[in-house]
Amino acid sequence: QLQAYGGGLVQAEGSLRLSCLVSGSIGNIGTMAWYRQALGKERELVASVTSSGTTNYADSVKGRFTITRENGKNTVYLQMNSLKSEDTAVYYCNADVRGRTAFIARNYWGQGTLVTVSS
């Protein structure tokens, strides 16, 4: 299971940090990512980080958001700085997880956490 934390209401130019914990009988976690979906729009990739630490960001968040992972805690973070009103969305964590007794990984989604940026 993936459980996301940290959303809320913040003023423009403010900061928030999202966290997502992967729990269960885990053998291995591959790529972890954050997506977001604004009202009336499609879900989009915000940032991702591979198991070796390679990161990828949407152009709209480069230089403002930072994705990190703490493998020992099975957790991925998204530090969001200089927030803009257009960052308002429900943020979802996503991860490729192989169970302890499984041969292949499956892709899982967290439940989403709402980030609202007021201007």
Side-chain angles (χ1 to χ4, degrees):
Q1 293 183 345
L2 275 64
Q3 182 70 40
Y5 305 89
L9 175 64
V10 63
Q11 290 188 336
E13 296 303 314
S15 298
L16 275 177
R17 188 174 84 151
L18 306 182
S19 304
C20 177
L21 170 68
V22 181
S23 62
S25 181
I26 300 167
N28 177 261
I29 302 175
T31 298
M32 306 179 84
W34 289 96
Y35 287 75
R36 68 185 180 187
Q37 187 167 20
L39 194 63
K41 296 187 177 182
E42 293 187 353
R43 191 173 299 188
E44 62 175 357
L45 176 67
V46 176
S48 64
V49 57
T50 67
S51 56
S52 59
T54 300
T55 58
N56 179 54
Y57 295 93
D59 288 342
S60 59
V61 307
K62 282 180 181 177
R64 300 188 298 123
F65 290 12
T66 302
I67 188 170
T68 56
R69 61 189 287 168
E70 195 166 354
N71 291 328
K73 293 185 176 181
N74 296 332
T75 301
V76 62
Y77 305 97
L78 185 68
Q79 177 66 44
M80 305 184 292
N81 298 328
S82 302
L83 283 160
K84 305 176 181 180
S85 57
E86 51 263 44
D87 295 318
T88 295
V90 177
Y91 285 71
Y92 298 90
C93 57
N94 176 277
D96 293 324
V97 182
R98 180 178 61 79
R100 195 177 299 277
T101 59
F103 290 103
I104 60 173
R106 291 179 56 191
N107 187 257
Y108 292 88
W109 291 93
Q111 85 285 6
T113 184
L114 177 61
V115 173
T116 303
V117 183
S118 64
S119 56

